[in-house]
Amino acid sequence: MTTPALLPLSGRRIPTLSPGASSFPHHRATLRLSEKFILLLILSAFITLCFGAFFFLPDNSKHKRFDLDHERALQEAKEKLRKSREELQAEIQTEKSKVVEDLKKKDTGPKPLPPVPMPQVVGVSDGEPPEPDVKEKRDKIREMMKHAWDSYRQYGWGHNELKPLAKKGHSTNIFGNSQMGATIVDALDTLYIMGLHEEFKDGQEWIEQNLDFGVNAEVSVFEVNIRFIGGLLAAYYLSGQEVFKLKAVQLAEKLLPAFNTPTGIPWAMVNLKSGVGRNWGWASAGSSILAEFGTLHMEFVHLTYLTGNPAYYQKVMHIRKLLAKMDRPNGLYPNYLNPRTGRWGQHHTSVGGLGDSFYEYLLKAWLMSDKTDTEARKTYDDAIEAIERHLIRKSNGGLTFIGEWKNGHLERKMGHLTCFAGGMFALGADGSPDDKAGHYLQLGAEIAHTCHESYDRTGRVDYFHCQLTY
């Protein structure tokens, strides 16, 4: 097979160009499609620009209105300058009075709360006890209370707490380092029950004149709820004084923004002025704490009862419903729950600190409802059953204790705060399932005995390690 020979370069025929002819062998009479598209695009942009500019042309009518307003203002100014000083002062006073009247019409104050029946308080004015030794003890306790109150009145009045050795007031960070009179509010019901009515009246006057929740202070939702809202509601139910109910509702409104989380589980802290919330940094990667968000129910249910506003009840019932849907390791409630994700934090369960009052409030919610809140009772019973199965043990010395569950293991220690459980088991004995009232009364007595022995043997009120001491 032969291949065609290539002509040498000199032999190739290259056409010659005549003078004045085009440099291209073929001349295009029309534009390419892509060039047409570019021209069309430029034309469209130009039309759009012209059309849009039409809307930015100055509005002559506005200029005319401005000119008229300007002329009117100049005319009014000339008229004012012609008036005497007395006439100007009279006009200014008239304008001031008008503004004040308008503000009064707008600011009608807080809406009056609906009237609700006051419960009959038992045990407040039932007279003196017949037993001389009981009367002696009661008088001594009243004397101690009055000594503490008088010292606070002298050295720390208006502060949240009193430093007894330094003899000066103190405001802790859980109340935003502001003077909110936490001791006054928290002591009101005790003063009333003990018959210290002059002291109660002093506290009431301070609250009426000084208790302000509009301060720029970051407070603990849990602490402010149990001490302030709880204290104010108790004082209201004991005395019937409306100021306590009004202050409780004002404060509750300041706490509601704490519930503005993706799950409805409230933040631990909230700023009373801005409504911004956050959690403690140490609490399992910013989780909310079971004993804090689980200890709002009683106060918030009462707030709905007193105000007719369902928001308070709905907030705490949402917490309960959310917990009911969640899986619980071994039926136990971990102490930490992330309010953003709705997932448990560290799997740490305790009946002492971080968990304690959650269980207490379940039982008391049932009692407060005159035993109609069966959902609260069942939640309590299920929780106690899991606690008894996994946490309650006996030491080598025969003392019953409640340990702590951490990441699948039992820690054989019981904190001082767990000692309330003895009373809780006894209080919850009535109504226990399967006729276990006697069992829980006995269990409560055993826990109380362990706490007494721990204090007596160690002289310490913190943690006691049951496997070591007993």
Side-chain angles (χ1 to χ4, degrees):
M1 180 178 178
T2 60
T3 58
L6 294 177
L7 290 173
L9 187 60
S10 58
R12 294 179 187 174
R13 185 172 180 273
I14 300 175
T16 59
L17 297 177
S18 61
S22 172
S23 301
F24 302 107
H26 300 286
H27 175 68
R28 287 186 290 110
T30 59
L31 296 172
R32 292 177 182 172
L33 182 62
S34 60
E35 292 171 338
K36 289 180 181 179
F37 177 76
I38 292 171
L39 284 174
L40 182 62
L41 192 63
I42 293 171
L43 182 61
S44 300
F46 180 73
I47 293 171
T48 304
L49 182 63
C50 294
F51 185 74
F54 174 77
F55 292 96
F56 292 95
L57 291 174
D59 188 347
N60 290 330
S61 62
K62 289 182 180 178
H63 283 285
K64 290 177 182 178
R65 286 198 300 270
F66 176 78
D67 292 339
L68 290 172
D69 291 341
H70 184 62
E71 290 176 8
R72 191 180 299 112
L74 285 173
Q75 186 62 33
E76 289 177 359
K78 289 177 182 178
E79 291 176 1
K80 296 247 182 227
L81 289 172
R82 295 192 191 104
K83 293 182 180 180
S84 65
R85 183 176 180 180
E86 289 75 15
E87 288 176 322
L88 289 172
Q89 287 178 339
E91 281 191 10
I92 292 170
Q93 189 59 44
T94 302
E95 290 295 326
K96 279 185 178 180
S97 301
K98 186 179 178 182
V99 170
V100 170
E101 288 298 321
D102 290 342
L103 288 174
K104 284 182 180 178
K105 290 177 183 178
K106 290 179 182 178
D107 185 18
T108 56
K111 290 175 63 178
L113 299 177
V116 293
M118 288 291 293
Q120 181 64 39
V121 180
V122 180
V124 174
S125 56
D126 286 347
E128 298 291 339
E131 301 88 347
D133 60 330
V134 174
K135 183 180 184 307
E136 182 182 357
K137 291 176 182 176
R138 195 157 85 163
D139 290 343
K140 185 63 178 178
I141 293 170
R142 184 188 289 114
E143 177 190 330
M144 294 166 65
M145 176 64 182
K146 182 161 173 45
H147 167 75
W149 177 264
D150 289 344
S151 297
Y152 169 75
R153 185 77 172 82
Q154 181 177 356
Y155 300 111
W157 191 241
H159 288 270
N160 292 323
E161 299 172 357
L162 170 67
K163 288 186 173 181
L165 298 180
K167 295 183 180 179
K168 63 180 182 180
H170 174 59
S171 295
T172 58
N173 64 338
I174 59 174
F175 303 121
N177 293 318
S178 58
Q179 294 187 29
M180 294 175 62
T183 292
I184 298 173
V185 179
D186 209 12
L188 285 172
D189 53 351
T190 303
L191 292 170
Y192 196 93
I193 291 170
M194 288 185 170
L196 298 172
H197 295 299
E198 286 300 317
E199 290 77 4
F200 180 89
K201 185 179 178 183
D202 287 344
Q204 179 179 339
E205 288 177 356
W206 186 92
I207 287 170
E208 289 174 332
Q209 298 169 11
N210 300 285
L211 188 55
D212 177 22
F213 301 123
V215 293
N216 185 17
E218 189 180 52
V219 301
S220 163
V221 175
F222 161 72
E223 294 286 351
V224 165
N225 175 65
I226 64 172
R227 301 187 189 283
F228 281 83
I229 294 182
L232 290 166
L233 291 178
Y236 168 68
Y237 279 122
L238 288 169
S239 69
Q241 297 296 316
E242 285 288 316
V243 62
F244 300 126
K245 179 169 71 171
L246 291 171
K247 290 289 185 181
V249 174
Q250 288 172 14
L251 177 55
E253 287 294 319
K254 296 287 187 178
L255 297 186
L256 284 179
F259 292 83
N260 295 337
T261 66
T263 60
I265 297 296
W267 300 113
M269 309 284 287
V270 69
N271 187 293
L272 294 178
K273 192 174 186 69
S274 67
V276 175
R278 70 177 179 92
N279 275 344
W280 305 105
W282 52 263
S284 187
S287 292
S288 297
I289 298 170
L290 182 68
E292 294 192 341
F293 67 77
T295 310
L296 304 169
H297 189 93
M298 289 197 296
E299 291 83 2
F300 274 56
V301 169
H302 269 285
L303 286 166
T304 287
Y305 169 70
L306 290 173
T307 64
N309 182 357
Y312 307 110
Y313 175 80
Q314 290 167 353
K315 297 292 185 186
V316 291
M317 287 305 296
H318 174 77
I319 294 173
R320 185 190 288 181
K321 290 175 181 176
L322 181 69
L323 292 176
K325 295 176 183 177
M326 297 185 66
D327 292 329
R328 297 180 296 279
N330 296 318
L332 298 169
Y333 287 88
N335 292 334
Y336 301 107
L337 178 61
N338 192 302
R340 293 186 178 90
T341 64
R343 296 174 182 169
W344 297 117
Q346 180 189 17
H347 284 189
H348 173 207
T349 298
S350 71
V351 184
L354 306 177
D356 47 12
S357 50
F358 165 71
Y359 307 101
E360 171 196 350
Y361 265 49
L362 287 173
L363 176 60
K364 289 182 177 177
W366 174 68
L367 291 170
M368 187 180 73
S369 70
D370 198 19
K371 302 181 180 180
T372 60
D373 189 354
T374 54
E375 184 181 63
R377 178 72 213 209
K378 185 177 187 314
T379 306
Y380 169 81
D381 288 332
D382 292 345
I384 296 306
E385 182 182 350
I387 287 168
E388 190 170 9
R389 184 183 308 116
H390 297 287
L391 304 185
I392 296 181
R393 298 288 185 270
K394 281 190 181 292
S395 69
N396 295 333
L399 293 173
T400 303
F401 68 96
I402 307 176
E404 297 186 8
W405 193 266
K406 272 192 178 180
N407 299 319
H409 300 284
L410 178 68
E411 292 190 351
R412 296 172 62 88
K413 67 177 184 180
M414 186 165 92
H416 156 67
L417 292 177
T418 315
C419 288
F420 90 99
M424 180 180 72
F425 290 142
L427 185 63
D430 182 26
S432 297
D434 304 324
D435 297 325
K436 297 177 72 174
H439 167 72
Y440 283 113
L441 280 173
Q442 179 62 30
L443 179 59
E446 290 177 9
I447 295 296
H449 175 66
T450 298
C451 291
H452 173 270
E453 288 298 303
S454 301
Y455 305 150
D456 186 54
R457 297 185 193 185
T458 66
R460 296 180 61 191
V461 185
D462 45 19
Y463 272 97
F464 31 92
H465 294 262
C466 297
Q467 85 273 26
L468 298 177
T469 311
Y470 310 119

